[in-house]
Amino acid sequence: VALAAAAPTFVLQSAANEWGSPVFDLHFHLRPQPAGNLAHLDGAGVTKANLLTRAGALEQVKAVQASAPGRFTWYTSYDVTKPDAEQVLTQAVKNGAQGFGEMKFHVAADGPELRRMYALAAELRVPILIHFQEVDHTPNEGTWSTGYAKTFAAVLKEYPKTTFIGHADAFWANVSADYHNEAVYPTGPVKRGGVTDRWLGDFPNLFADMSAVSANTAIARDPVFTEDFLKRHQDKLIFGSDCSCGDGHGAGYNN
C-alpha cells in the first residue's frame, strides 16, 4: 500500500526506448511553461513524471496535464510554518495532488512544523517527500529538515501510517556510518551501518528518492556496497531525476 502511494502505477505504456521499459520520474520540478515540461520528459525518454509544485500552481498543473494526458501526476508543498498549512495542503489533495513534496523548509526534521505534516499525510493517505540537508551549498543558504541522523528514527516509529520518502544530501550521505555533516557529497568507501541503509530495512514506511547529485554520488562512491544495497532495498528505491535541463539530455543544466 505504501509503495503504491509513493509511486503510482503506470496508466500509459510507452513505446520501446533507450530505457527498455516504461519509466516513472518521481522528482520532476514544474517548469513555468507547459511545453518545457513535456520537452524534458520526451527528451529523456521518460513515460510519466510526478510534478513537484508549490501551493497556487493548480492551473499550471492542469495546463501541463491537458498538454499530455496521462503523463503527469503531482505533489504539492506549502510553507509548513504557516498556520493554514493543513488547510491548504488538504485542499490540494482534494484537487488531485497525490502527495506532499518536495518539503524543503528551514525547520527541524522532528520539529512541530513538519510533525503537523506527517500526521496530515497519514490522515489523507498520501506520501510525503522530504529534503534533508545539514550543510550549506552556498553561503547563507541555510539547512533544511535538520537533525535527520539523530532524530528521524523516532519520527518513523511515531508515525507508522505515514509514507516517508527521503531525499537530498543528509539522507544519502548517511548510507555511510562515518558521516558527520562535514561534506555535501562525501565520496570514497562506504562504512557499513549508516542510518539510511539500516532504516530502509527496518521501517516499512521509509522509501528513497533516487534523484539528484546526492543519490548519484552515494551509489557511485562504492560499487561493492552499492550492488548489495540495491539488491536489499530494491522495493524501496524510486527513480527520480531532479534535473533542471531544458531538453532531457543535459542542455542548460544548473546544478
Side-chain angles (χ1 to χ4, degrees), residues 186-207:
T187 58
V190 169
K191 181 178 180 180
R192 304 303 194 268
V195 294
T196 293
D197 188 10
R198 288 194 283 110
W199 295 347
L200 283 170
D202 292 345
F203 295 101
N205 57 332
L206 179 64
F207 295 82

Side-chain angles (χ1 to χ4, degrees), residues 19-156:
W19 295 88
S21 63
V23 175
F24 175 73
D25 184 346
L26 175 74
H27 199 121
F28 190 102
H29 286 283
L30 178 67
R31 272 67 170 166
Q33 300 300 324
N37 297 278
L38 192 57
H40 190 283
L41 204 66
D42 287 343
V46 170
T47 312
K48 190 170 184 175
N50 185 55
L51 302 169
L52 300 185
T53 75
R54 291 297 179 101
L58 179 59
E59 294 308 312
Q60 286 178 273
V61 170
K62 287 181 177 179
V64 173
Q65 291 180 322
S67 72
R71 298 192 68 186
F72 292 97
T73 56
W74 61 292
Y75 284 9
T76 189
S77 67
Y78 184 71
D79 187 343
V80 297
T81 67
K82 300 289 187 182
D84 62 343
E86 288 107 328
Q87 178 183 349
V88 171
L89 292 173
T90 297
Q91 186 59 52
V93 171
K94 290 180 179 179
N95 290 337
Q98 294 189 9
F100 298 159
E102 172 182 7
M103 305 305 273
K104 185 178 180 180
F105 301 99
H106 298 296
V107 296
D110 69 337
E113 302 89 353
L114 277 172
R115 283 178 176 273
R116 294 163 56 203
M117 303 305 107
Y118 304 155
L120 183 63
E123 178 184 338
L124 297 177
R125 297 178 61 84
V126 297
I128 181 167
L129 192 163
I130 307 165
H131 181 112
F132 297 102
Q133 181 179 329
E134 307 282 356
V135 183
D136 285 10
H137 285 207
T138 58
N140 303 315
E141 177 197 14
T143 52
W144 316 84
S145 310
T146 54
Y148 167 73
K150 294 182 178 179
T151 68
F152 210 66
V155 170
L156 292 165

Side-chain angles (χ1 to χ4, degrees), residues 8-20:
T9 303
F10 286 112
V11 174
L12 175 70
Q13 297 295 319
S14 71
N17 57 33
E18 61 191 298
W19 295 88

